[in-house]
Amino acid sequence: MALVQEDAAPAAAATATAAASNPDAGSSDNEISMEEASFVHTEPPEDGTAPPVVTSDMEVLHDRVKKQVIKEGHGKKPLKFATCFVHYRAWVQGSLHKFEDTWQEQHPIELVLGKEKKEMAGLGIGVGNMRSGERALLHVGWELGYGKEGSFSFPNVPPMADLVYEVVLIGFDDVKEGKTRSDMTVEERIAAADRRKIEGNEYFKEKKLEEAMQQYEMAIAYMGDDFMFQLFGKYRDMALAVKNPCHLNMAACLIKLKRFDEAIVQCSIVLSEDENNVKALFRRGKAKSELGQTESAREDFLKAKRYSPEDKEILRELRLLAEQDKALYQKQKELYKGLFGPRPEAKPKKANRLVVFWQWLVSLIRYLVRLFNRKNE
């Protein structure tokens, strides 16, 4: 599937080795190109120390589960046995003791509706009544949480504790058999990730950047670190051919959203696998430049130029950095000039009167001596 070109970001393959390990690294079929640059995690709301204050209406989903919408989602709700990817924070209601936070771990959890753990039954009911991209506050009774006995290991939840969840449904796969990632073959996981990547590209073309990032995050969730660690040879190459473009496409979205620090993280993940990836170097350099990290940005652009010397976008960014340096130098020069003022002109020193008189007297004596000598001659 060919994407609409939205910019001229560098697309040259870095080296023959890089091309072998990531055959689609420079292909516009897999990576979004950006024109004007003005997760692996969903952006965590607020500081997360306590549940957010929500003023929306309370929706009763079950006798012991209620929901308040923080942010509306889109599309349909997941069906039973759908594999859902969620981020959440969980507190004990009343004491506001936070006992779990997937944003801190930077990995969404996988929840198969109807097959969730007993202590997550209330969370499953809430997620089953959400749409992709929706953020909500769930109020869950202790009967559908950790029960009468609670949990004294991890997480630490007291007995008969009602719970509060702040949840984001990143997305879901409606699969009849309700397969989890661990039950899938390598080919199935890569194919599922590729489908999400393609859907993300479609959202990007429609300028729905948040929805696009949700799809990319789901694609990456299929290929976590534990999964990648087990892959070698052609299977690792196949996985990277899907995973790396997802990171780069997320970086493209994040730059457009001016979330430059997160864009740098996405590019750095790719560069940890393929240190000469031109697109990753270019986009990381662009994000650093926007943050004012000019020297570090220049290093990325120069390295990208080494592998793609004719790329106009790279040359343009280097030229812009040079112009910024020149403008900064002129500004500093004017600043210091105004601070210290012009150099004062040297004033002639006043001659000492005694010295002047003595010089005159010596000249007079010499004149008289010469006059006397002439008369004697």
Side-chain angles (χ1 to χ4, degrees):
M1 167 183 168
L3 283 175
V4 175
Q5 291 279 333
E6 298 222 2
D7 83 2
T15 59
T17 304
S21 63
N22 186 3
D24 292 318
S27 169
S28 60
D29 290 343
N30 291 289
E31 297 168 19
I32 294 167
S33 295
M34 311 176 345
E35 188 167 72
E36 297 174 1
S38 15
F39 351 109
V40 180
H41 62 281
T42 306
E43 183 183 13
E46 302 182 1
D47 60 3
T49 54
V53 178
V54 183
T55 58
S56 61
D57 294 336
M58 191 83 73
E59 181 184 354
V60 179
L61 308 178
H62 181 278
D63 288 345
R64 304 299 289 153
V65 182
K66 299 175 183 177
K67 182 183 81 165
Q68 288 177 285
V69 176
I70 301 173
K71 178 187 174 185
E72 295 286 351
H74 58 87
K76 62 181 182 178
K77 296 178 181 179
L79 302 174
K80 189 175 181 180
F81 300 132
T83 302
C84 302
F85 296 92
V86 300
H87 266 307
Y88 69 86
R89 292 190 179 102
W91 294 266
V92 174
Q93 190 167 344
S95 69
L96 298 184
H97 158 63
K98 184 170 72 171
F99 60 86
E100 202 162 3
D101 189 340
T102 63
W103 275 291
Q104 286 184 350
E105 299 166 11
Q106 297 189 358
H107 289 289
I109 70 156
E110 180 185 31
L111 194 68
V112 178
L113 298 183
K115 293 186 177 182
E116 62 273 348
K117 297 177 183 177
K118 182 180 178 182
E119 60 269 20
M120 287 189 170
L123 177 62
I125 291 171
V127 170
N129 285 275
M130 296 173 66
R131 304 177 192 277
S132 293
E134 181 178 336
R135 177 178 289 143
L137 202 64
L138 300 179
H139 304 266
V140 177
W142 62 267
E143 298 90 343
L144 297 178
Y146 287 82
K148 280 187 178 182
E149 297 182 356
S151 172
F152 292 97
S153 57
F154 178 83
N156 183 13
V157 181
M160 300 179 69
D162 292 337
L163 308 176
V164 177
Y165 289 95
E166 181 185 4
V167 187
V168 171
L169 175 57
I170 300 167
F172 60 87
D173 276 328
D174 276 327
V175 184
K176 290 182 180 179
E177 61 270 24
K179 272 190 176 181
T180 62
R181 287 173 291 181
S182 58
D183 294 331
M184 293 181 176
T185 64
V186 171
E187 291 88 347
E188 286 175 333
R189 287 179 74 158
I190 294 174
D194 194 48
R195 286 195 302 273
R196 288 297 174 182
K197 182 195 71 177
I198 292 171
E199 288 182 26
N201 293 347
E202 291 295 332
Y203 279 123
F204 186 90
K205 288 195 294 184
E206 296 170 9
K207 302 188 184 302
K208 297 178 179 178
L209 302 181
E210 292 287 352
E211 289 85 347
M213 287 195 295
Q214 288 166 5
Q215 297 303 316
Y216 297 139
E217 185 170 9
M218 285 186 62
I220 293 167
Y222 278 107
M223 294 176 288
D225 294 339
D226 55 339
F227 174 68
M228 295 299 297
F229 183 74
Q230 303 173 45
L231 300 183
F232 298 94
K234 71 171 186 176
Y235 288 113
R236 185 171 182 82
D237 292 344
M238 288 167 60
L240 286 174
V242 177
K243 183 174 183 286
N244 282 351
C246 287
H247 286 298
L248 291 174
N249 295 351
M250 285 184 72
C253 294
L254 290 163
I255 289 174
K256 285 184 173 290
L257 293 171
K258 301 188 183 300
R259 289 159 59 180
F260 303 116
D261 286 319
E262 294 173 75
I264 290 171
V265 171
Q266 297 301 320
C267 295
S268 297
I269 292 172
V270 176
L271 291 168
S272 68
E273 292 282 355
D274 178 9
E275 63 180 355
N276 300 325
N277 188 290
V278 177
K279 282 192 174 184
L281 289 166
F282 175 81
R283 290 178 186 170
R284 189 173 72 173
K286 183 63 181 174
K288 288 178 177 179
S289 178
E290 293 287 349
L291 290 173
Q293 302 171 9
T294 53
E295 287 307 313
S296 184
R298 197 191 322 274
E299 289 178 11
D300 282 342
F301 289 139
L302 288 173
K303 189 171 182 180
K305 181 186 174 185
R306 194 183 312 160
Y307 299 105
S308 185
E310 303 301 323
D311 192 288
K312 293 180 180 179
E313 286 298 304
I314 297 174
L315 297 175
R316 184 173 71 88
E317 292 298 331
L318 286 169
R319 193 163 54 249
L320 286 174
L321 285 181
E323 291 172 0
Q324 289 176 14
D325 289 343
K326 185 178 179 180
L328 180 62
Y329 171 75
Q330 291 296 333
K331 187 176 181 179
Q332 290 177 338
K333 186 177 178 181
E334 292 298 321
L335 176 64
Y336 292 134
K337 182 179 178 181
L339 183 63
F340 298 107
R343 180 177 294 179
E345 295 181 3
K347 296 181 179 179
K349 295 181 180 180
K350 293 182 179 180
N352 191 306
R353 291 182 180 180
L354 182 60
V355 173
V356 173
F357 174 75
W358 176 255
Q359 291 174 343
W360 174 80
L361 184 59
V362 170
S363 299
L364 179 61
I365 292 172
R366 285 178 178 174
Y367 173 75
L368 292 174
V369 168
R370 284 197 300 271
L371 186 60
F372 178 77
N373 289 338
R374 287 176 186 174
K375 285 184 179 180
N376 287 340
E377 289 174 0

